[in-house]
Each structure stands twice: as structure tokens, then as C-alpha cells.
Amino acid sequence: MKFSYYPGCSLHSTAAEFSASTEAIFKFLGVKLQELDDWCCCGATSGHSINNFLSHALPLYNLILAENNGSDIVVPCAACYSSLKSAQVFMKSNNSKVTKLNNHLKVTMGRTYQGQINVYHVLEILNNPQIQDLLKKHISKNFNGIPLASYYGCLLNRPPKAVSFEDNPEQPKLMDKLLNQVGATPVVWPHKNECCGASLAISQPKIVEQLVAKIIGSAKHAGAKAIVTACPLCQTNLDSRQPQDTDSLPVFFITEIIGLALGINSLSWLKKHLIDPIPF
Amino acid sequence: MAGKQVIPSSKLISSVAKKSSQPINRCYQCHKCTGGCPVTFAMDIMPHQVVRYVQLGLEEKLLESKTIWQCTACHTCGSRCPNGIDIAAINDALKQQAITNNVKPALPEVRTFHEAFLASVKNNGRVHELGMMLAFKRKTGTYLQDVSLGLKMFRRNKLRLLPKKIKNRKRFHTLLQGEKEG
């Protein structure tokens, strides 16, 4: 199995451990990830908020790089995943700007967007039947029933028409399935899909602190000993803006949990967390 | 709004519907969007009201609201709307309208953040988080906010000192030119 790999900006900085753990587990499982050469930012929330052109042009730049390679793309970041998928939906629409944008892409990249490749999130690949067989074969560590809260946040399931890969976007469960496979107990909790406040963390930190406090409170109420996520911004917000007056919950990336279960040395990833997960 | 007569205008709805690609006229005010929105505790106009105000053409109220800048674009409203209206997309169109009309944003920090983010992308091809944060702080005067958090991240090598620019600057610059060509 071989994919183009689009890490996105966060995975080269604030969420470097998400990239390192993703690359490590896929290498272990024999899946080849080839980082897209010279990828650019997807535009993220700021793109679609104030600049429609960039919100389409930036993801398409990367999609065309991948089409040039001929391999489907794997994306760990929920926001990048959403940007790339939304750009694909836009290019399928009847919007008059589609042709104009494609003409400009031809001038820029030497080729138009063809819609030939698929964009997958890491969770989708981990649930691919072939990968599932490999996981079953290689999981060597058991989490001994420890209760964990799988936290999806927003952009892996919404807007469902563009992005969701779950049977029910309101009740996603692929991450819970993975937690079961490593011997942990996924808790049932109501804040699995609630928003952490995303990029408002910098411009409106008080709003984000309130949203994070609700999510952390809910996970604790359900008995979780840690939170597991698949989005760099969710992890950063939950790791950095938890209420100070209570026992903190460590916040893992799902790829770190899988890495631990496969017996991969994960110390360098876990040392990057703000809330120390190592005694966990 | 109480007691004040509103004369509906269809001027706003046509521009917002076009920009957001949302079927705004389908809304029958079930309030499901407001029920699910995680940020209503801070908003001055509720999500269902945003749609109604767009229908009525209350442009000034919307463009001067906090709501359009507080929306996190989590798309909970749009996912649950029985009429397929994504209010996050409407809020984006309204933010852009506020910028075009030169309306002073109710939450200038949010606009400054988005501008600093995209300026970093245009300069480097990728976001340089530390540079973007410093530009944001310079423009908003929020020098003391999150300093200890920033230092913790820096010590863990989570913030690069220098930007990692893309290599093919010419190609990326050509891409950006498309914005001017409209």
C-alpha cells in the first residue's frame, strides 16, 4: 500500500508528535507514505472565513501535486482533511468559478484538477480491512481495560456531505473500535463531537477555555482517564487550556495509542505533550 | 428589535445566498441550529436569527454583530438543519461583506488573527506559527496573553523559530495572482 502524505502546517510544528507517530505506525505496518513534495498550507479556517479564493486555490494546489504523483492522499489533520475534501466538493459543483479556477491552475501548475484521487483521513486507513488484519497480528501491548474518551471534534464528521467516513456522523465509532482493539474501554460520553473552539484559542481564548472545560468535565464524568483525538488543534486546545484547578487529563493522538500498542518506542512523542502522559 | 417596524429588503439575501451557496429562503425557524451551536453563550445574535436577519435584509445589525466572528465553523448547525442550510457558510459570507463594507468588526482580534494567518501563508507558503502569533500580538497589543503557554511550547520544540518556506516560490506566487484576476 502506498499513499501521498499531506502533513499540513501544524504537524510540522505544534503537533509534530502526531506526524511522527503517524509515520512510525505506517512504517511498522508496511504502508509507504510519501510526503507530497513542496506542499502548501490548506488555508484552514482563516481561508474560508475571509478569502474564498484561497479556500479553494490552496487545497487544489496540493490536490494537483498529488494527482501528478498518481497516489491517493492520507491526511492526519482534521482541518486539512476538511479543506481538501471541501475543495473536491466545490470542483464538482456547477459554480461558475470552477472553470475559471481550473484555467488558473493550468497556468500555475501546468495541469488542471481532474478529480482522480481520493483523500483519506488516517482513521479511515486504520480501519481498512487489510490494515485491520495487520493490526490484529501485531498489537503486542494491552491497555488492560483503561477507560478512554475518543474525541472527534468537528471537522472529521462535519459537514457530513463533504467529509464523513462514519456510518453515522452524529455517533462516530471507528476510533472507539480501535480503542477496543488495543484493550482499552472507550467510554460513552456526550461531548465526543462538540467543538473545542478551534482557532478562536488565540483570538478569543475565554470562549475556548469554556468549551474545553465542558469537554474535559464531560470526559471525567464518564470516567475517562485520558482523551484520545485525531486532530492537531483539538489536541493542542485540550492539552493547553484545561481548567487549572483540577486533575488534568492527558490528551493523546490515536496514532500514539496505536504506536504504544504496537510496542513502538514512543517516548519522544509523549515528551512533547504539555500535560505529562508518561505515568499513564 | 422589539416594537420597531422592519421593512424587509431582498438585497442582502441575494448577495449572501450567492456568496455562501446556501438555500437561505428554505429556513422555517425551527431553531435546531441554535439548539446545537456550542458558542451561543457568547453570541449577541443566535444562529436562527442570523438566517432570519439575512432574509429581512438587516445588514447593519449582522455586520456589526459579534456572532459572525465568534462562529467556530464547527458546522453543527449545517449538519442538523432539516433544510440543508449551513450557517457557518453564511457567517463567512457576512464576515467578507463586513470587510468589503469597511464595517468595524465587533471582535477585531478575530479578523486580525485571520489576516495574520493568511499573511503568513502568502509569505511562506505555509503558516509560520511563531511569526503569525507575533504579528497578531503586535496588531492587537495582547503581548502578555499566553506568554507562559508559548514558552512551554517553545521548550518542547513545538514552535519553529524560523519559517519553513516552500521551495517553488514562483509557482506559489503565480497561484496567488489568481485572486487579483478574480
Side-chain angles (χ1 to χ4, degrees):
Chain A
M1 242 189 243
K2 186 184 159 211
F3 295 98
S4 288
Y5 177 57
Y6 179 73
C9 306
S10 298
L11 274 80
H12 270 216
S13 56
T14 48
E17 64 271 42
F18 194 11
S19 197
S21 53
T22 300
E23 291 173 66
I25 62 171
F26 282 123
K27 191 175 172 197
F28 185 97
L29 297 170
V31 177
K32 193 168 173 351
L33 296 185
Q34 176 80 48
E35 185 165 325
L36 266 189
D37 186 39
D38 220 21
W39 55 267
C40 72
C41 170
C42 73
T45 307
S46 297
H48 68 70
S49 291
I50 64 169
N51 192 319
N52 275 352
F53 171 77
L54 290 181
S55 76
H56 300 129
L58 294 172
L60 284 163
Y61 187 91
N62 297 305
L63 287 168
I64 291 176
L65 289 179
E67 284 189 346
N68 218 2
N69 289 353
S71 307
D72 290 341
I73 309 185
V74 172
V75 191
C77 170
C80 296
Y81 172 74
S82 166
S83 293
L84 296 178
K85 296 282 275 192
S86 298
Q88 289 186 313
V89 171
F90 174 76
M91 293 306 275
K92 274 190 188 164
S93 72
N94 294 324
N95 196 307
S96 58
K97 288 184 178 156
V98 168
T99 314
K100 204 168 177 189
L101 188 55
N102 234 343
N103 289 339
H104 182 64
L105 289 164
K106 173 98 169 88
V107 173
T108 306
M109 317 284 293
R111 59 186 288 166
T112 55
Y113 169 76
Q114 303 287 323
Q116 290 164 339
I117 52 152
N118 297 310
V119 176
Y120 295 113
H121 186 260
V122 163
L123 278 178
E124 281 179 283
I125 305 299
L126 290 174
N127 278 286
N128 168 299
Q130 260 177 285
I131 299 292
Q132 279 284 309
D133 287 345
L134 289 169
L135 283 176
K136 278 172 201 152
K137 203 166 129 195
H138 292 292
I139 284 174
S140 56
K141 189 195 158 181
N142 190 297
F143 279 76
N144 297 321
I146 191 160
L148 299 176
S150 78
Y151 176 63
Y152 275 80
C154 307
L155 297 177
L156 293 178
N157 286 301
R158 294 188 295 261
K161 272 184 224 157
V163 299
S164 188
F165 44 81
E166 297 271 349
D167 289 341
N168 179 355
E170 290 277 356
Q171 303 275 353
K173 54 186 181 198
L174 290 181
M175 201 153 29
D176 299 56
K177 187 176 141 195
L178 290 167
L179 294 179
N180 269 323
Q181 278 174 345
V182 300
T185 308
V187 300
V188 176
W189 67 310
H191 283 67
K192 203 177 195 177
N193 303 334
E194 288 289 306
C195 179
C196 73
S199 70
L200 289 182
I202 293 163
S203 55
Q204 295 291 306
K206 289 209 163 61
I207 290 183
V208 173
E209 280 159 20
Q210 290 193 57
L211 295 174
V212 169
K214 281 184 198 165
I215 293 162
I216 297 292
S218 172
K220 283 183 182 170
H221 187 71
K225 298 292 178 209
I227 294 184
V228 184
T229 181
C231 167
L233 201 45
C234 292
Q235 199 276 345
T236 300
N237 282 348
L238 294 178
D239 197 26
S240 65
R241 295 182 193 274
Q242 287 193 29
Q244 298 291 320
D245 54 341
T246 52
D247 289 341
S248 306
L249 286 188
V251 188
F252 291 92
F253 289 110
I254 183 67
T255 46
E256 293 176 324
I257 297 290
I258 301 291
L260 283 163
L262 292 171
I264 299 172
N265 185 351
S266 53
L267 197 64
S268 61
W269 318 331
L270 302 182
K271 272 175 129 173
K272 281 186 169 282
H273 290 217
L274 300 180
I275 295 168
D276 188 3
I278 290 168
F280 175 80
Chain B
M1 297 304 297
K4 214 172 155 191
Q5 194 180 6
V6 174
I7 299 164
S9 151
S10 59
K11 204 178 125 210
L12 185 63
I13 192 169
S14 52
S15 72
V16 174
K18 193 174 166 210
K19 211 165 202 172
S20 66
S21 308
Q22 297 306 307
I24 301 169
N25 267 331
R26 281 195 204 155
C27 174
Y28 47 55
Q29 293 288 301
C30 71
H31 298 200
K32 206 173 176 184
C33 48
T34 297
C37 173
V39 198
T40 49
F41 67 87
M43 286 175 167
D44 49 2
I45 298 178
M46 294 299 117
H48 71 277
Q49 291 176 309
V50 168
V51 185
R52 191 71 186 128
Y53 284 17
V54 173
Q55 290 173 340
L56 292 171
L58 302 175
E59 186 172 13
E60 206 175 307
K61 270 219 169 293
L62 288 163
L63 302 191
E64 289 173 1
S65 73
K66 290 186 200 170
T67 296
I68 58 170
W69 299 101
Q70 286 166 329
C71 170
T72 61
C74 74
H75 299 286
T76 305
C77 51
S79 312
R80 296 179 184 171
C81 175
N83 296 305
I85 306 169
D86 189 18
I87 303 170
I90 296 177
N91 285 329
D92 284 347
L94 292 168
K95 283 191 274 272
Q96 291 166 27
Q97 192 64 48
I99 292 172
T100 309
N101 293 11
N102 235 342
V103 174
K104 189 172 175 276
L107 300 170
E109 308 84 9
V110 184
R111 177 176 166 182
T112 304
F113 171 81
H114 291 319
E115 286 170 346
F117 186 100
L118 293 183
S120 183
V121 174
K122 285 180 182 177
N123 278 336
N124 306 306
R126 299 175 186 175
V127 176
H128 175 228
E129 278 150 327
L130 187 62
M132 184 261 291
M133 290 292 295
L134 292 174
F136 172 79
K137 286 182 175 299
R138 219 168 29 241
K139 284 187 182 140
T140 54
T142 51
Y143 293 104
L144 298 177
Q145 180 190 304
D146 291 334
V147 170
S148 71
L149 174 59
L151 288 172
K152 275 189 212 165
M153 294 191 130
F154 195 72
R155 276 201 298 274
R156 285 166 176 79
N157 270 333
K158 280 178 167 258
L159 294 171
R160 278 174 192 274
L161 206 53
L162 295 172
K164 196 174 175 186
K165 295 180 185 239
I166 58 168
K167 294 174 283 183
N168 197 335
R169 310 272 298 154
K170 199 176 155 209
R171 183 172 67 183
F172 189 67
H173 187 72
T174 311
L175 180 81
L176 298 180
Q177 292 304 309
E179 188 181 353
K180 287 180 194 151
E181 291 158 19

